């Protein structure tokens, strides 16, 4: 078990890498000793989502493209992330920093064709402004689409990866294979 965070007053959250490539998030009540599974996923390491007060409000999966899952879909943070998802469709937008009072948020937006743009969002004015674009000197047209793929190895383990090809690519063609990470921890991301 790996300690993730405190959770509520009486509980802590633990990440458990169970057999058969399953990752779970457990709520452990430190007074009663009871454990409850809050989330479970085969093939994905579960990350955590926290609000401005460092409360765990959900978890992330990143098998192909990153996805958020909330313990309370009606929470303020869940509603804000859904707004970000609509505003930056096809990209991954996340809150990377916030002021203590929650009035300003730094939003990081990235994708396979977007190395990262930072925005400042003013919640009171409902205004978004660009702070910084990473690798601005490289034309976004030079980036190619990453396609999530998977295959089953001889031992039955499902292997996940990404395939990036030039725009004018025809099969068969040359290939560079980057083997990295796993089954838990370091990995490449979309």
């Amino acid at each position: 078990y790996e300690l993730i965070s405190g959770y509520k007053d009486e509980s802590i959250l633990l990440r458990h890498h169970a057999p058969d490539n399953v990752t779970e998030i457990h709520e452990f009540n430190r007074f009663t000793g009871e454990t409850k599974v809050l989330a479970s996923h085969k093939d994905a390491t579960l990350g955590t989502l926290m609000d401005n007060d460092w409360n765990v409000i959900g978890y992330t999966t990143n098998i192909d493209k990153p996805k958020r899952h909330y313990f309370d879909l009606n929470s303020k943070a869940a509603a804000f992330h859904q707004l970000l998802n609509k505003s930056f469709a096809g990209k991954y937008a996340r809150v990377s920093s916030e002021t203590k009072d929650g009035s300003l948020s730094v939003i990081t937006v990235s994708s396979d064709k977007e190395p990262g743009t930072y925005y400042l969002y003013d919640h009171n004015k409902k205004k978004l402004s660009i702070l910084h674009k990473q690798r601005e000197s490289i034309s976004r047209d030079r980036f190619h689409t990453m396609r999530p793929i998977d295959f089953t190895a001889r031992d039955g383990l499902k292997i996940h990866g990404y395939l990036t090809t030039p725009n004018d690519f025809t099969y068969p063609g040359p290939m560079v294979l980057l083997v990295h990470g796993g089954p838990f921890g370091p990995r490449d991301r979309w």
Side-chain angles (χ1 to χ4, degrees):
Y1 287 91
E2 167 192 357
L3 176 64
I4 297 174
S5 172
Y7 183 66
K8 304 179 183 172
D9 289 333
E10 69 280 356
S11 300
I12 59 173
L13 290 185
L14 303 168
R15 184 177 2 253
H16 176 58
H17 299 292
D20 298 324
N21 214 26
V22 173
T23 305
E24 300 171 333
I25 295 178
H26 292 232
E27 177 183 358
F28 173 75
N29 185 306
R30 54 196 176 106
F31 299 116
T32 66
E34 294 177 7
T35 302
K36 177 171 68 172
V37 176
L38 297 179
S40 178
H41 201 289
K42 184 170 175 47
D43 301 327
T45 297
L46 305 179
T48 54
L49 291 172
M50 295 187 181
D51 67 10
N52 198 32
D53 294 320
W54 294 96
N55 297 309
V56 176
I57 57 171
Y59 63 97
T60 59
T61 56
N62 197 358
I63 292 178
D64 47 13
K65 295 182 180 180
K67 293 180 180 76
R68 293 182 191 92
H69 311 269
Y70 295 92
F71 298 138
D72 179 4
L73 287 173
N74 297 315
S75 71
K76 183 179 172 183
F80 184 58
H81 281 126
Q82 289 170 7
L83 175 68
L84 290 176
N85 288 342
K86 289 178 187 173
S87 300
F88 297 101
K91 297 181 180 180
Y92 184 63
R94 66 182 181 85
V95 177
S96 51
S97 183
E98 283 187 313
T99 56
K100 184 118 179 100
D101 67 359
S103 62
L104 299 172
S105 297
V106 175
I107 311 300
T108 306
V109 178
S110 61
S111 75
D112 53 348
K113 294 183 169 193
E114 171 57 61
T117 299
Y118 294 88
Y119 296 88
L120 181 66
Y121 183 75
D122 185 321
H123 291 266
N124 297 326
K125 296 178 182 174
K126 303 208 181 313
K127 182 180 177 195
L128 187 72
S129 53
I130 291 180
L131 292 174
H132 175 71
K133 279 187 125 173
Q134 290 189 43
R135 300 183 184 122
E136 195 168 10
S137 62
I138 301 173
S139 168
R140 299 320 195 232
D141 295 336
R142 296 192 64 192
F143 291 93
H144 299 277
T145 301
M146 290 175 65
R147 186 167 47 107
I149 61 166
D150 62 65
F151 60 93
T152 303
R154 286 184 297 206
D155 65 357
L157 182 66
K158 189 179 241 184
I159 307 292
H160 298 275
Y162 299 99
L163 178 64
T164 305
T165 58
N167 292 335
D168 58 354
F169 182 76
T170 57
Y171 292 95
M175 181 172 108
V176 175
L177 178 64
L178 299 173
V179 178
H180 179 68
F184 303 105
R187 66 178 309 275
D188 292 319
R189 287 173 169 46
W190 179 83

